[in-house]
Amino acid sequence: MNKFLLLIAMLVFSSTLSAQSLMNNYQYEINLINEKNNKIQVSFIPPKNNLQEGKFVMPKLIPGYYDALNFGRYISEFKAFNKKGENITVKRLDTNTWIIPNLKNVAKITYEVSGGWEHLMQKISSAKSPESMFKKDSVFVINYNSLAGYFEEIKNRGYTVTVKKNRGFYASSALDYISKNDTTDIVSAKDYRRLVDAPVLYCVPDTTWIKIGNTNVLVSFYSKEHQSYSKTLSAKIEKILINQQAYLGGKLPVNKYAFLIYHEKIPKGMMGDGLEHNNSTVCLYGSETLDKLPEALMGIASHEFFHILTPLNVHSEEVQNFNFLNPILSRHLWLYEGMTEYATIHMPIKQHMITIQQFLKNIEGKIKGMEGFNNRLSMTEISTNAIKMQDQYMNFYQKGALLGLCLDIRLRELSNGKIGTQELMQMLIKKYGSEKPFRDEDLFTVITALTFPEIRQFFKDYVETGLPIPLKESLQKAGLDYNESTKTVIEINNPSTAQLSLRKAWINQ
């Protein structure tokens, strides 16, 4: 075969493989251009199959937000068609599921999607950050959990999404969007979990890229009243990330990250709503001016970025194989949220960004914050029942952070200062990583094996049983005194050499 014919054969073979790959994917098309009455048009071609019937699912829950959101409620005009364009009758079972007969002959499915909110001051029954928002010719906040679904019988397939968008609009996301032409973008995801995990902000771009070590970080900002502000925000975020990189041993365990920040002018005060993802964060802010936005963003950005540790690189099978319709929740929200929040308050003092007095005030804030919750409940029980126990969920950010503090000091004590929660998280990342989940019931045993036998009793007492956390005892080991009556923490006069040594190992002060 001559070289020309060989080249033709290779091109045909490559084209055939590409076509076969597409046939095995969910092929979605989302039309943002024709938004009308707060609705957009969505259609998709199902993966090739031989099914007599299929159950189409929209999520009831999503990772990171532990309450039923029922995204199927935004879907209307759901229709299926065969190759001849003839309508196939579908049956809606409930809010989030549809039955499609003769699925093997379905050529296309179409439906309309309503936006979850129109403005930040709008009162709705749930958070806005997991929802999608459409403002024609202005801005679109897209969370794919409210736009796309899957068939229960056809899971673990790839997604190819074509987005019809306004000329001049840019897609800000942790996923890589390829511009086919001025009004068409294409993006791919390995599976549904990864698609849902990567929201996108579509608008005329106000973006700044920063590089922290080997990590590319996108800061994308939208405000109707303010333009060219991403550079100001990125300068603040860069300072935080540089210190987080040092805190994590000199390297960030992620190649790309995106901060998607939406601002809306509101009359007085300030309001915020945000949701973390493995490689991105959606931040929704309302304020009259932008004066306080950079500082307000710092705590949120720090916490959300620390989620690159957990659940991105350390998570259970329940997270890895998340059931979007009937989820079984992990026992370890104390790790995903509590330890993340602890790292958020621990990093600034360890990196000399704040004084010890400011750090102690942060601890006092957490102590006072947990007073509004039942602190004798098992944290593993709250975690697995987070949907039913929403009134206790926010305590993971209060008591959960203080639990991390006590664990950190206990580890430092047992290791003569050499091992703390920073080192523990690195051990767990090395053992697991983003694609290897742990068994929910094994985590405490694994951590004990990686550290010290005494740590198993720590988890039994304070995470599983719900005994009062040993805050006074723990702080005293580091030369600090906690007054349980006044809820205040102060430095002890004339601390011992051992106390000062532990404090130095713990907070570098």
Side-chain angles (χ1 to χ4, degrees):
M1 183 182 293
N2 65 42
K3 291 182 179 180
F4 178 74
L5 292 178
L6 178 61
L7 177 61
I8 294 296
M10 289 174 63
L11 290 173
V12 170
F13 180 68
S14 175
S15 177
T16 302
L17 285 178
S18 179
Q20 289 175 345
S21 177
L22 275 177
M23 289 173 66
N24 289 323
N25 284 359
Y26 286 88
Q27 299 176 58
Y28 262 87
E29 182 172 303
I30 295 169
N31 193 324
L32 305 180
I33 299 174
N34 295 330
E35 183 273 340
K36 187 176 181 181
N37 298 324
N38 197 33
K39 293 182 179 181
I40 62 171
Q41 299 292 324
V42 174
S43 64
F44 75 95
I45 300 170
K48 185 178 180 181
N49 66 88
N50 291 308
L51 294 169
Q52 296 297 327
E53 182 178 271
K55 183 179 180 181
F56 182 75
V57 172
M58 291 294 293
K60 178 180 180 180
L61 274 85
I62 56 170
Y65 193 84
Y66 301 96
D67 196 8
L69 294 174
N70 296 308
F71 291 100
R73 62 196 166 117
Y74 299 118
I75 306 299
S76 60
E77 301 298 323
F78 191 97
K79 298 175 182 178
F81 303 91
N82 62 22
K83 294 177 182 178
K84 296 180 180 179
E86 299 168 336
N87 193 292
I88 296 174
T89 303
V90 300
K91 179 182 179 182
R92 189 166 194 167
L93 290 182
D94 53 38
T95 301
N96 299 309
T97 57
W98 292 256
I99 293 294
I100 295 91
N102 202 18
L103 185 60
K104 64 182 180 180
N105 290 326
V106 170
K108 192 174 187 179
I109 293 172
T110 66
Y111 50 86
E112 292 183 347
V113 180
S114 299
W117 54 281
E118 295 183 70
H119 52 84
L120 290 180
M121 296 293 284
Q122 177 184 352
K123 290 185 178 181
I124 61 174
S125 59
S126 60
K128 296 178 176 67
S129 52
E131 314 278 3
S132 291
M133 182 272 287
F134 318 133
K135 288 188 178 180
K136 186 176 177 65
D137 301 328
S138 297
V139 60
F140 295 84
V141 177
I142 303 296
N143 280 290
Y144 282 105
N145 44 261
S146 66
L147 268 70
Y150 60 92
F151 286 100
E152 277 203 336
E153 301 83 359
I154 317 176
K155 294 181 179 180
N156 301 318
R157 298 294 183 89
Y159 280 73
T160 302
V161 182
T162 300
V163 182
K164 299 291 185 180
K165 49 94 176 183
N166 297 62
R167 186 175 282 104
F169 274 26
Y170 174 80
S172 296
S173 175
L175 289 177
D176 294 321
Y177 282 70
I178 299 171
S179 179
K180 188 176 179 181
N181 55 50
D182 288 348
T183 59
T184 307
D185 287 345
I186 297 176
V187 67
S188 298
K190 185 178 179 181
D191 53 32
Y192 188 72
R193 181 171 67 90
R194 287 172 176 81
L195 180 70
V196 167
D197 190 48
V200 56
L201 176 65
Y202 259 109
C203 59
V204 174
D206 175 8
T207 59
T208 300
W209 284 92
I210 53 179
K211 195 171 182 69
I212 311 296
N214 294 321
T215 304
N216 293 309
V217 179
L218 170 65
V219 179
S220 184
F221 178 75
Y222 173 84
S223 176
K224 182 180 178 181
E225 290 80 16
H226 306 276
Q227 286 80 40
S228 303
Y229 198 68
S230 65
K231 190 173 182 179
T232 300
L233 294 176
S234 65
K236 290 285 186 179
I237 290 174
E238 183 175 22
K239 182 180 178 181
I240 288 284
L241 298 188
I242 287 172
N243 282 283
Q244 284 181 311
Q245 178 178 244
Y247 183 82
L248 296 175
K251 185 179 180 181
L252 298 175
V254 63
N255 294 322
K256 182 182 178 182
Y257 199 90
F259 288 97
L260 313 180
I261 305 160
Y262 169 89
H263 173 264
E264 190 175 295
K265 187 174 182 179
I266 61 174
K268 289 183 180 180
M270 193 168 190
M271 62 183 298
D273 186 359
L275 180 64
E276 91 285 346
H277 299 267
N278 285 330
N279 291 73
S280 59
T281 297
V282 173
C283 301
L284 311 177
Y285 282 102
S287 61
E288 190 168 9
T289 68
L290 296 182
D291 296 348
K292 296 180 180 179
L293 177 55
E295 293 303 321
L297 182 64
M298 289 307 95
I300 298 295
S302 181
H303 175 96
E304 305 305 358
F305 194 80
F306 265 128
H307 277 297
I308 62 175
L309 298 181
T310 182
L312 173 55
N313 280 286
V314 182
H315 56 257
S316 69
E317 292 170 340
E318 286 77 7
V319 175
Q320 179 82 8
N321 306 309
F322 190 83
N323 187 321
F324 289 88
L325 187 59
N326 297 300
I328 298 172
L329 299 183
S330 169
R331 303 172 70 225
H332 299 297
L333 276 175
W334 70 271
L335 174 72
Y336 308 142
E337 297 299 341
M339 285 292 289
T340 298
E341 182 62 16
Y342 172 63
T344 303
I345 65 171
H346 183 237
M347 183 274 290
I349 184 66
K350 193 74 180 282
Q351 297 304 122
H352 295 283
M353 297 176 70
I354 60 174
T355 65
I356 190 168
Q357 287 73 29
Q358 289 172 309
F359 177 58
L360 299 185
K361 287 295 180 184
N362 289 338
I363 294 174
E364 291 174 359
K366 296 299 181 187
I367 293 169
K368 292 169 184 174
M370 72 176 182
E371 285 186 323
F373 302 94
N374 184 346
N375 290 293
R376 292 191 174 273
L377 292 173
S378 159
M379 299 207 86
T380 50
E381 182 182 346
I382 299 173
S383 185
T384 54
N385 293 283
I387 301 171
K388 300 176 184 177
M389 302 175 73
Q390 279 288 300
D391 60 329
Q392 300 298 318
Y393 170 73
M394 292 303 293
N395 205 17
F396 284 110
Y397 301 90
Q398 312 298 328
K399 181 183 176 182
L402 296 173
L403 179 73
L405 181 151
C406 294
L407 176 61
D408 198 2
I409 291 175
R410 182 63 171 143
L411 286 170
R412 296 287 177 194
E413 178 190 25
L414 291 169
S415 65
N416 293 318
K418 294 178 182 178
I419 297 174
T421 52
Q422 286 172 269
E423 291 76 17
L424 171 61
M425 292 309 299
Q426 294 301 319
M427 293 177 194
L428 290 172
I429 288 173
K430 186 176 180 180
K431 183 175 179 64
Y432 295 107
S434 61
E435 296 304 317
K436 183 182 177 183
F438 59 77
R439 280 166 46 90
D440 220 43
E441 58 271 28
D442 292 346
L443 182 61
F444 294 138
T445 301
V446 168
I447 292 177
T448 301
L450 290 172
T451 56
F452 306 96
E454 295 88 341
I455 292 300
R456 187 64 190 88
Q457 190 65 41
F458 180 96
F459 287 129
K460 182 178 180 181
D461 289 345
Y462 309 120
V463 184
E464 295 175 290
T465 303
L467 295 179
I469 56 176
L471 199 54
K472 185 175 181 67
E473 173 191 347
S474 299
L475 290 170
Q476 192 165 29
K477 292 173 183 177
L480 302 171
D481 181 54
Y482 167 45
N483 187 316
E484 294 177 299
S485 299
T486 61
K487 311 296 182 186
T488 56
V489 182
I490 61 172
E491 295 182 72
I492 294 173
N493 291 325
N494 301 314
S496 69
T497 301
Q499 287 173 320
L500 288 175
S501 177
L502 182 59
R503 185 194 300 179
K504 179 69 175 177
W506 172 41
I507 59 174
N508 199 23
Q509 298 281 341

